Short mmCIF file of all heavy atoms in Angstrom, two decimals:
data_model
loop_
_atom_site.label_atom_id
_atom_site.label_comp_id
_atom_site.label_asym_id
_atom_site.label_seq_id
_atom_site.Cartn_x
_atom_site.Cartn_y
_atom_site.Cartn_z
N MET X 1 22.99 -88.81 88.98
CA MET X 1 24.20 -89.37 89.59
C MET X 1 24.29 -90.85 89.29
O MET X 1 23.39 -91.61 89.58
CB MET X 1 24.22 -89.15 91.10
CG MET X 1 24.38 -87.68 91.48
SD MET X 1 24.89 -87.49 93.18
CE MET X 1 23.36 -87.90 94.01
N ALA X 2 25.40 -91.27 88.71
CA ALA X 2 25.58 -92.68 88.41
C ALA X 2 26.16 -93.41 89.62
O ALA X 2 27.18 -93.03 90.16
CB ALA X 2 26.52 -92.84 87.22
N GLU X 3 25.46 -94.44 90.05
CA GLU X 3 25.95 -95.22 91.18
C GLU X 3 25.66 -96.70 90.95
O GLU X 3 25.13 -97.38 91.80
CB GLU X 3 25.31 -94.75 92.48
CG GLU X 3 23.80 -94.59 92.34
CD GLU X 3 23.21 -94.15 93.66
OE1 GLU X 3 23.78 -94.49 94.68
OE2 GLU X 3 22.19 -93.46 93.65
N SER X 4 26.01 -97.18 89.77
CA SER X 4 25.72 -98.55 89.42
C SER X 4 26.74 -99.50 90.01
O SER X 4 26.47 -100.66 90.24
CB SER X 4 25.69 -98.71 87.90
OG SER X 4 26.92 -98.30 87.35
N THR X 5 27.92 -99.00 90.33
CA THR X 5 28.95 -99.87 90.87
C THR X 5 29.47 -99.32 92.19
O THR X 5 29.35 -98.13 92.47
CB THR X 5 30.13 -99.99 89.90
OG1 THR X 5 30.66 -98.69 89.65
CG2 THR X 5 29.69 -100.62 88.59
N GLN X 6 30.03 -100.20 93.00
CA GLN X 6 30.60 -99.79 94.27
C GLN X 6 32.09 -99.60 94.09
O GLN X 6 32.83 -100.54 93.82
CB GLN X 6 30.31 -100.84 95.35
CG GLN X 6 28.84 -100.92 95.68
CD GLN X 6 28.50 -102.18 96.45
OE1 GLN X 6 29.07 -103.23 96.21
NE2 GLN X 6 27.59 -102.10 97.39
N THR X 7 32.54 -98.38 94.23
CA THR X 7 33.94 -98.07 93.99
C THR X 7 34.74 -98.15 95.28
O THR X 7 34.19 -98.00 96.36
CB THR X 7 34.06 -96.65 93.41
OG1 THR X 7 33.64 -95.73 94.40
CG2 THR X 7 33.19 -96.50 92.18
N PRO X 8 36.04 -98.38 95.17
CA PRO X 8 36.89 -98.38 96.37
C PRO X 8 36.79 -97.08 97.15
O PRO X 8 36.90 -97.08 98.37
CB PRO X 8 38.30 -98.57 95.80
CG PRO X 8 38.07 -99.28 94.50
CD PRO X 8 36.76 -98.75 93.97
N ALA X 9 36.59 -95.98 96.47
CA ALA X 9 36.46 -94.70 97.17
C ALA X 9 35.25 -94.69 98.08
O ALA X 9 35.31 -94.21 99.20
CB ALA X 9 36.38 -93.57 96.15
N ALA X 10 34.16 -95.25 97.60
CA ALA X 10 32.95 -95.30 98.42
C ALA X 10 33.14 -96.28 99.57
O ALA X 10 32.59 -96.09 100.66
CB ALA X 10 31.76 -95.73 97.56
N VAL X 11 33.90 -97.33 99.34
CA VAL X 11 34.13 -98.33 100.37
C VAL X 11 34.81 -97.69 101.58
O VAL X 11 34.50 -98.00 102.72
CB VAL X 11 35.01 -99.47 99.82
CG1 VAL X 11 35.52 -100.34 100.96
CG2 VAL X 11 34.21 -100.29 98.83
N ARG X 12 35.72 -96.77 101.30
CA ARG X 12 36.50 -96.19 102.39
C ARG X 12 35.80 -95.01 103.05
O ARG X 12 36.33 -94.42 103.97
CB ARG X 12 37.87 -95.76 101.87
CG ARG X 12 38.71 -96.94 101.44
CD ARG X 12 40.11 -96.53 101.02
NE ARG X 12 40.91 -97.69 100.67
CZ ARG X 12 41.52 -98.47 101.57
NH1 ARG X 12 41.42 -98.20 102.85
NH2 ARG X 12 42.22 -99.52 101.18
N ASN X 13 34.63 -94.68 102.58
CA ASN X 13 33.88 -93.60 103.20
C ASN X 13 33.13 -94.12 104.42
O ASN X 13 32.24 -94.94 104.29
CB ASN X 13 32.89 -93.02 102.18
CG ASN X 13 32.18 -91.80 102.72
OD1 ASN X 13 32.25 -91.51 103.91
ND2 ASN X 13 31.49 -91.10 101.86
N PRO X 14 33.48 -93.69 105.62
CA PRO X 14 32.88 -94.23 106.83
C PRO X 14 31.40 -93.92 106.94
O PRO X 14 30.68 -94.60 107.67
CB PRO X 14 33.67 -93.57 107.96
CG PRO X 14 34.25 -92.34 107.35
CD PRO X 14 34.49 -92.67 105.91
N SER X 15 30.93 -92.90 106.24
CA SER X 15 29.51 -92.56 106.31
C SER X 15 28.77 -93.02 105.07
O SER X 15 27.74 -92.47 104.72
CB SER X 15 29.34 -91.05 106.50
OG SER X 15 29.90 -90.37 105.40
N ALA X 16 29.34 -94.03 104.40
CA ALA X 16 28.76 -94.50 103.16
C ALA X 16 27.37 -95.08 103.39
O ALA X 16 27.11 -95.75 104.40
CB ALA X 16 29.67 -95.55 102.53
N TYR X 17 26.50 -94.81 102.45
CA TYR X 17 25.15 -95.37 102.48
C TYR X 17 25.08 -96.49 101.48
O TYR X 17 25.38 -96.29 100.30
CB TYR X 17 24.13 -94.29 102.15
CG TYR X 17 22.70 -94.74 102.24
CD1 TYR X 17 22.06 -94.77 103.47
CD2 TYR X 17 22.00 -95.12 101.11
CE1 TYR X 17 20.74 -95.18 103.56
CE2 TYR X 17 20.68 -95.53 101.19
CZ TYR X 17 20.06 -95.55 102.42
OH TYR X 17 18.75 -95.96 102.51
N GLY X 18 24.77 -97.68 101.94
CA GLY X 18 24.77 -98.81 101.01
C GLY X 18 24.02 -100.00 101.56
O GLY X 18 23.33 -99.92 102.57
N TRP X 19 24.21 -101.11 100.88
CA TRP X 19 23.48 -102.34 101.18
C TRP X 19 24.20 -103.13 102.26
O TRP X 19 25.37 -103.48 102.11
CB TRP X 19 23.35 -103.18 99.91
CG TRP X 19 22.61 -104.46 100.09
CD1 TRP X 19 23.15 -105.69 100.29
CD2 TRP X 19 21.19 -104.63 100.08
NE1 TRP X 19 22.14 -106.62 100.40
CE2 TRP X 19 20.93 -105.99 100.28
CE3 TRP X 19 20.10 -103.74 99.91
CZ2 TRP X 19 19.63 -106.50 100.31
CZ3 TRP X 19 18.82 -104.26 99.95
CH2 TRP X 19 18.60 -105.62 100.15
N CYS X 20 23.50 -103.42 103.34
CA CYS X 20 24.05 -104.29 104.37
C CYS X 20 23.66 -105.72 104.04
O CYS X 20 22.46 -106.04 103.96
CB CYS X 20 23.51 -103.91 105.75
SG CYS X 20 24.00 -105.08 107.03
N ALA X 21 24.67 -106.57 103.83
CA ALA X 21 24.41 -107.95 103.42
C ALA X 21 23.93 -108.80 104.58
O ALA X 21 23.47 -109.92 104.38
CB ALA X 21 25.67 -108.56 102.82
N TRP X 22 24.04 -108.30 105.80
CA TRP X 22 23.69 -109.13 106.96
C TRP X 22 22.22 -108.99 107.32
O TRP X 22 21.57 -109.99 107.59
CB TRP X 22 24.59 -108.78 108.14
CG TRP X 22 25.84 -109.61 108.12
CD1 TRP X 22 26.09 -110.72 108.87
CD2 TRP X 22 27.01 -109.41 107.32
NE1 TRP X 22 27.33 -111.23 108.56
CE2 TRP X 22 27.92 -110.45 107.62
CE3 TRP X 22 27.37 -108.46 106.36
CZ2 TRP X 22 29.16 -110.55 107.01
CZ3 TRP X 22 28.60 -108.55 105.75
CH2 TRP X 22 29.48 -109.59 106.07
N HIS X 23 21.71 -107.77 107.37
CA HIS X 23 20.26 -107.67 107.62
C HIS X 23 19.49 -107.40 106.33
O HIS X 23 18.29 -107.18 106.35
CB HIS X 23 19.96 -106.63 108.71
CG HIS X 23 20.07 -105.19 108.25
ND1 HIS X 23 21.20 -104.42 108.46
CD2 HIS X 23 19.18 -104.38 107.63
CE1 HIS X 23 20.98 -103.19 107.98
NE2 HIS X 23 19.77 -103.14 107.48
N GLU X 24 20.23 -107.43 105.20
CA GLU X 24 19.63 -107.37 103.87
C GLU X 24 18.73 -106.16 103.69
O GLU X 24 17.54 -106.28 103.39
CB GLU X 24 18.89 -108.67 103.57
CG GLU X 24 19.83 -109.87 103.58
CD GLU X 24 19.13 -111.15 103.10
OE1 GLU X 24 17.96 -111.35 103.46
OE2 GLU X 24 19.76 -111.92 102.36
N ASN X 25 19.32 -105.00 103.92
CA ASN X 25 18.61 -103.76 103.67
C ASN X 25 19.65 -102.65 103.56
O ASN X 25 20.80 -102.85 103.91
CB ASN X 25 17.63 -103.48 104.81
CG ASN X 25 16.43 -102.66 104.32
OD1 ASN X 25 16.55 -101.90 103.35
ND2 ASN X 25 15.31 -102.82 104.97
N TYR X 26 19.20 -101.48 103.11
CA TYR X 26 20.12 -100.36 103.01
C TYR X 26 20.32 -99.72 104.38
O TYR X 26 19.39 -99.68 105.20
CB TYR X 26 19.59 -99.32 102.02
CG TYR X 26 19.69 -99.79 100.58
CD1 TYR X 26 18.59 -100.33 99.93
CD2 TYR X 26 20.90 -99.70 99.90
CE1 TYR X 26 18.69 -100.77 98.62
CE2 TYR X 26 21.00 -100.12 98.59
CZ TYR X 26 19.90 -100.66 97.96
OH TYR X 26 20.01 -101.10 96.66
N ALA X 27 21.54 -99.24 104.60
CA ALA X 27 21.84 -98.63 105.88
C ALA X 27 22.94 -97.61 105.69
O ALA X 27 23.70 -97.64 104.71
CB ALA X 27 22.27 -99.69 106.89
N ARG X 28 23.04 -96.70 106.64
CA ARG X 28 24.10 -95.70 106.59
C ARG X 28 25.31 -96.19 107.39
O ARG X 28 25.16 -96.86 108.40
CB ARG X 28 23.58 -94.38 107.18
CG ARG X 28 24.54 -93.22 107.03
CD ARG X 28 23.90 -91.93 107.49
NE ARG X 28 22.72 -91.61 106.70
CZ ARG X 28 22.76 -91.02 105.50
NH1 ARG X 28 23.91 -90.68 104.98
NH2 ARG X 28 21.66 -90.78 104.85
N GLY X 29 26.48 -95.85 106.89
CA GLY X 29 27.70 -96.21 107.62
C GLY X 29 28.18 -97.61 107.37
O GLY X 29 28.91 -98.18 108.18
N VAL X 30 27.80 -98.20 106.22
CA VAL X 30 28.25 -99.55 105.93
C VAL X 30 29.75 -99.55 105.65
O VAL X 30 30.31 -98.59 105.14
CB VAL X 30 27.49 -100.15 104.73
CG1 VAL X 30 26.03 -100.32 105.06
CG2 VAL X 30 27.68 -99.30 103.49
N ARG X 31 30.39 -100.66 106.01
CA ARG X 31 31.82 -100.84 105.75
C ARG X 31 32.02 -102.15 105.02
O ARG X 31 31.28 -103.11 105.23
CB ARG X 31 32.59 -100.88 107.08
CG ARG X 31 32.54 -99.59 107.86
CD ARG X 31 33.45 -98.53 107.26
NE ARG X 31 34.83 -98.98 107.19
CZ ARG X 31 35.69 -98.88 108.21
NH1 ARG X 31 35.33 -98.36 109.34
NH2 ARG X 31 36.93 -99.31 108.06
N LEU X 32 33.07 -102.20 104.20
CA LEU X 32 33.39 -103.43 103.48
C LEU X 32 33.94 -104.47 104.46
O LEU X 32 34.92 -104.22 105.16
CB LEU X 32 34.42 -103.13 102.40
CG LEU X 32 34.90 -104.33 101.58
CD1 LEU X 32 33.74 -104.98 100.84
CD2 LEU X 32 35.98 -103.92 100.62
N ILE X 33 33.29 -105.61 104.51
CA ILE X 33 33.71 -106.67 105.42
C ILE X 33 34.46 -107.77 104.69
O ILE X 33 35.47 -108.28 105.17
CB ILE X 33 32.48 -107.29 106.11
CG1 ILE X 33 31.70 -106.21 106.85
CG2 ILE X 33 32.90 -108.40 107.07
CD1 ILE X 33 32.46 -105.52 107.96
N ARG X 34 33.95 -108.14 103.54
CA ARG X 34 34.50 -109.32 102.85
C ARG X 34 34.32 -109.15 101.36
O ARG X 34 33.34 -108.61 100.90
CB ARG X 34 33.73 -110.55 103.34
CG ARG X 34 34.33 -111.87 102.96
CD ARG X 34 33.56 -112.98 103.62
NE ARG X 34 33.49 -112.82 105.07
CZ ARG X 34 32.54 -113.30 105.84
NH1 ARG X 34 31.54 -113.94 105.30
NH2 ARG X 34 32.58 -113.13 107.14
N VAL X 35 35.32 -109.61 100.60
CA VAL X 35 35.23 -109.60 99.14
C VAL X 35 35.16 -111.04 98.67
O VAL X 35 36.02 -111.86 99.02
CB VAL X 35 36.44 -108.90 98.52
CG1 VAL X 35 36.35 -108.97 96.99
CG2 VAL X 35 36.50 -107.44 98.97
N ILE X 36 34.14 -111.34 97.92
CA ILE X 36 33.96 -112.69 97.41
C ILE X 36 34.67 -112.82 96.07
O ILE X 36 34.36 -112.09 95.13
CB ILE X 36 32.46 -113.02 97.23
CG1 ILE X 36 31.75 -112.88 98.58
CG2 ILE X 36 32.28 -114.41 96.66
CD1 ILE X 36 30.25 -113.06 98.47
N GLU X 37 35.61 -113.73 96.00
CA GLU X 37 36.35 -113.95 94.77
C GLU X 37 35.55 -114.87 93.87
O GLU X 37 35.44 -116.07 94.12
CB GLU X 37 37.71 -114.58 95.08
CG GLU X 37 38.57 -113.74 96.00
CD GLU X 37 39.10 -112.50 95.31
OE1 GLU X 37 39.02 -112.44 94.07
OE2 GLU X 37 39.59 -111.60 96.00
N GLN X 38 34.97 -114.29 92.83
CA GLN X 38 34.21 -115.11 91.90
C GLN X 38 34.19 -114.43 90.55
O GLN X 38 34.30 -113.22 90.44
CB GLN X 38 32.79 -115.36 92.40
CG GLN X 38 32.01 -114.07 92.63
CD GLN X 38 30.62 -114.36 93.19
OE1 GLN X 38 30.34 -115.46 93.61
NE2 GLN X 38 29.77 -113.37 93.13
N GLY X 39 34.05 -115.25 89.49
CA GLY X 39 34.11 -114.72 88.14
C GLY X 39 32.85 -114.01 87.73
O GLY X 39 32.88 -113.13 86.88
N SER X 40 31.72 -114.37 88.34
CA SER X 40 30.46 -113.76 87.95
C SER X 40 29.62 -113.48 89.18
O SER X 40 29.94 -113.92 90.27
CB SER X 40 29.70 -114.68 86.99
OG SER X 40 29.41 -115.90 87.63
N GLY X 41 28.54 -112.73 88.99
CA GLY X 41 27.68 -112.39 90.13
C GLY X 41 27.66 -110.90 90.36
O GLY X 41 28.64 -110.22 90.17
N PRO X 42 26.55 -110.40 90.80
CA PRO X 42 26.36 -108.95 90.93
C PRO X 42 26.98 -108.36 92.20
O PRO X 42 27.19 -107.17 92.27
CB PRO X 42 24.83 -108.80 90.97
CG PRO X 42 24.37 -110.08 91.57
CD PRO X 42 25.34 -111.15 91.10
N SER X 43 27.29 -109.17 93.21
CA SER X 43 27.75 -108.59 94.47
C SER X 43 29.05 -109.25 94.91
O SER X 43 29.05 -110.17 95.71
CB SER X 43 26.69 -108.73 95.56
OG SER X 43 26.32 -110.06 95.69
N PRO X 44 30.19 -108.78 94.39
CA PRO X 44 31.47 -109.35 94.77
C PRO X 44 31.94 -108.92 96.15
O PRO X 44 32.86 -109.48 96.69
CB PRO X 44 32.43 -108.83 93.70
CG PRO X 44 31.81 -107.54 93.28
CD PRO X 44 30.33 -107.74 93.38
N ALA X 45 31.28 -107.93 96.74
CA ALA X 45 31.70 -107.43 98.04
C ALA X 45 30.54 -107.43 99.01
O ALA X 45 29.40 -107.16 98.64
CB ALA X 45 32.27 -106.03 97.90
N LEU X 46 30.85 -107.74 100.29
CA LEU X 46 29.82 -107.74 101.33
C LEU X 46 30.06 -106.57 102.27
O LEU X 46 31.16 -106.41 102.81
CB LEU X 46 29.85 -109.06 102.11
CG LEU X 46 29.46 -110.31 101.32
CD1 LEU X 46 29.58 -111.54 102.23
CD2 LEU X 46 28.05 -110.20 100.78
N PHE X 47 29.01 -105.79 102.48
CA PHE X 47 29.09 -104.66 103.38
C PHE X 47 28.21 -104.90 104.59
O PHE X 47 27.20 -105.59 104.51
CB PHE X 47 28.63 -103.38 102.68
CG PHE X 47 29.54 -102.96 101.56
CD1 PHE X 47 29.46 -103.56 100.32
CD2 PHE X 47 30.47 -101.96 101.76
CE1 PHE X 47 30.31 -103.17 99.28
CE2 PHE X 47 31.32 -101.56 100.73
CZ PHE X 47 31.23 -102.17 99.49
N ALA X 48 28.59 -104.32 105.72
CA ALA X 48 27.78 -104.47 106.93
C ALA X 48 27.63 -103.10 107.61
O ALA X 48 28.57 -102.30 107.63
CB ALA X 48 28.42 -105.45 107.90
N CYS X 49 26.45 -102.86 108.16
CA CYS X 49 26.17 -101.61 108.86
C CYS X 49 26.74 -101.71 110.28
O CYS X 49 27.09 -102.79 110.76
CB CYS X 49 24.67 -101.35 108.88
SG CYS X 49 23.76 -102.50 109.92
N PRO X 50 26.84 -100.59 110.98
CA PRO X 50 27.41 -100.61 112.34
C PRO X 50 26.68 -101.56 113.28
O PRO X 50 27.30 -102.25 114.09
CB PRO X 50 27.25 -99.14 112.79
CG PRO X 50 27.28 -98.36 111.52
CD PRO X 50 26.58 -99.23 110.51
N SER X 51 25.36 -101.63 113.19
CA SER X 51 24.59 -102.51 114.08
C SER X 51 24.94 -103.98 113.85
O SER X 51 25.13 -104.74 114.80
CB SER X 51 23.09 -102.29 113.87
OG SER X 51 22.74 -100.98 114.22
N CYS X 52 25.03 -104.36 112.59
CA CYS X 52 25.35 -105.76 112.29
C CYS X 52 26.81 -106.07 112.62
O CYS X 52 27.13 -107.18 113.03
CB CYS X 52 25.07 -106.06 110.82
SG CYS X 52 23.31 -106.14 110.45
N ARG X 53 27.71 -105.10 112.43
CA ARG X 53 29.11 -105.35 112.79
C ARG X 53 29.22 -105.64 114.27
O ARG X 53 30.01 -106.48 114.71
CB ARG X 53 29.96 -104.13 112.42
CG ARG X 53 30.09 -103.94 110.91
CD ARG X 53 31.37 -103.18 110.55
NE ARG X 53 31.47 -101.91 111.26
CZ ARG X 53 30.96 -100.77 110.81
NH1 ARG X 53 30.30 -100.75 109.69
NH2 ARG X 53 31.11 -99.67 111.49
N MET X 54 28.41 -104.92 115.06
CA MET X 54 28.45 -105.15 116.50
C MET X 54 27.78 -106.47 116.86
O MET X 54 28.26 -107.24 117.68
CB MET X 54 27.76 -103.99 117.22
CG MET X 54 27.94 -104.00 118.72
SD MET X 54 27.44 -102.43 119.46
CE MET X 54 28.61 -101.31 118.70
N ALA X 55 26.66 -106.76 116.20
CA ALA X 55 25.89 -107.96 116.52
C ALA X 55 26.64 -109.22 116.12
O ALA X 55 26.58 -110.24 116.82
CB ALA X 55 24.54 -107.91 115.81
N TYR X 56 27.35 -109.18 115.00
CA TYR X 56 28.02 -110.38 114.48
C TYR X 56 29.53 -110.33 114.67
O TYR X 56 30.25 -111.20 114.18
CB TYR X 56 27.69 -110.57 113.00
CG TYR X 56 26.23 -110.83 112.75
CD1 TYR X 56 25.37 -109.80 112.39
CD2 TYR X 56 25.71 -112.11 112.89
CE1 TYR X 56 24.01 -110.03 112.16
CE2 TYR X 56 24.37 -112.36 112.67
CZ TYR X 56 23.53 -111.32 112.31
OH TYR X 56 22.20 -111.56 112.09
N ASP X 57 30.01 -109.31 115.37
CA ASP X 57 31.45 -109.19 115.65
C ASP X 57 32.26 -109.18 114.37
O ASP X 57 33.21 -109.93 114.21
CB ASP X 57 31.89 -110.33 116.58
CG ASP X 57 33.21 -109.99 117.27
OD1 ASP X 57 33.54 -108.79 117.33
OD2 ASP X 57 33.89 -110.91 117.73
N LEU X 58 31.86 -108.32 113.44
CA LEU X 58 32.52 -108.23 112.14
C LEU X 58 33.58 -107.15 112.17
O LEU X 58 33.40 -106.10 112.77
CB LEU X 58 31.49 -107.91 111.05
CG LEU X 58 30.32 -108.89 110.95
CD1 LEU X 58 29.24 -108.33 110.03
CD2 LEU X 58 30.79 -110.24 110.46
N VAL X 59 34.70 -107.42 111.50
CA VAL X 59 35.79 -106.46 111.43
C VAL X 59 35.94 -106.00 109.99
O VAL X 59 36.15 -106.82 109.10
CB VAL X 59 37.10 -107.09 111.92
CG1 VAL X 59 38.24 -106.06 111.82
CG2 VAL X 59 36.95 -107.58 113.35
N PRO X 60 35.83 -104.70 109.73
CA PRO X 60 36.00 -104.21 108.36
C PRO X 60 37.39 -104.54 107.82
O PRO X 60 38.37 -104.60 108.55
CB PRO X 60 35.85 -102.69 108.50
CG PRO X 60 35.04 -102.52 109.74
CD PRO X 60 35.45 -103.64 110.66
N LEU X 61 37.46 -104.77 106.51
CA LEU X 61 38.73 -105.13 105.88
C LEU X 61 39.81 -104.10 106.17
O LEU X 61 40.97 -104.44 106.39
CB LEU X 61 38.53 -105.25 104.36
CG LEU X 61 37.99 -106.59 103.86
CD1 LEU X 61 37.92 -106.58 102.34
CD2 LEU X 61 38.85 -107.74 104.34
N ASP X 62 39.43 -102.83 106.18
CA ASP X 62 40.42 -101.78 106.41
C ASP X 62 41.03 -101.86 107.80
O ASP X 62 42.13 -101.38 108.03
CB ASP X 62 39.76 -100.41 106.23
CG ASP X 62 39.59 -100.07 104.75
OD1 ASP X 62 40.15 -100.81 103.92
OD2 ASP X 62 38.90 -99.10 104.45
N ASP X 63 40.29 -102.46 108.75
CA ASP X 63 40.78 -102.52 110.12
C ASP X 63 41.50 -103.82 110.44
O ASP X 63 41.96 -104.03 111.55
CB ASP X 63 39.59 -102.36 111.09
CG ASP X 63 38.94 -101.00 110.93
OD1 ASP X 63 39.55 -100.14 110.27
OD2 ASP X 63 37.84 -100.81 111.45
N GLN X 64 41.59 -104.71 109.45
CA GLN X 64 42.26 -105.99 109.68
C GLN X 64 43.73 -105.90 109.36
O GLN X 64 44.18 -105.02 108.66
CB GLN X 64 41.61 -107.09 108.82
CG GLN X 64 40.16 -107.35 109.20
CD GLN X 64 39.53 -108.41 108.32
OE1 GLN X 64 40.21 -109.08 107.56
NE2 GLN X 64 38.23 -108.55 108.42
N SER X 65 44.48 -106.87 109.87
CA SER X 65 45.92 -107.00 109.68
C SER X 65 46.71 -105.80 110.16
O SER X 65 46.21 -104.95 110.84
CB SER X 65 46.26 -107.24 108.21
OG SER X 65 46.12 -106.03 107.49
ZN1 ZN J 1 23.01 -104.45 108.95
#
């Protein structure tokens, strides 16, 4: 299974398993919190797990506006 990139489809999966940028480890149920606009770099998007979203009061991009 190829999973070298994070696709928008995976971003919208509420049970997605991925990298939490806040506690810096893999976790289940990560959501896209912020997209970093930059020309280079391996991680243009920041994901947070449910625990970190609660701890840091983070709102997923899909739930904003
Ligand atoms: Zn976390």
Side-chain angles (χ1 to χ4, degrees):
M1 292 197 286
E3 47 179 331
S4 58
T5 59
Q6 292 165 324
T7 65
V11 167
R12 294 184 177 280
N13 185 348
S15 61
Y17 183 82
W19 180 263
C20 173
W22 271 260
H23 76 263
E24 299 188 320
N25 208 332
Y26 288 98
R28 187 174 299 278
V30 295
R31 296 284 302 275
L32 178 61
I33 303 298
R34 192 174 304 154
V35 177
I36 301 175
E37 301 288 346
Q38 59 182 13
S40 61
S43 55
L46 294 178
F47 294 80
C49 69
S51 296
C52 288
R53 291 205 306 272
M54 190 167 297
Y56 296 96
D57 200 20
L58 303 169
V59 179
L61 276 183
D62 283 350
D63 297 347
Q64 295 178 11
S65 75

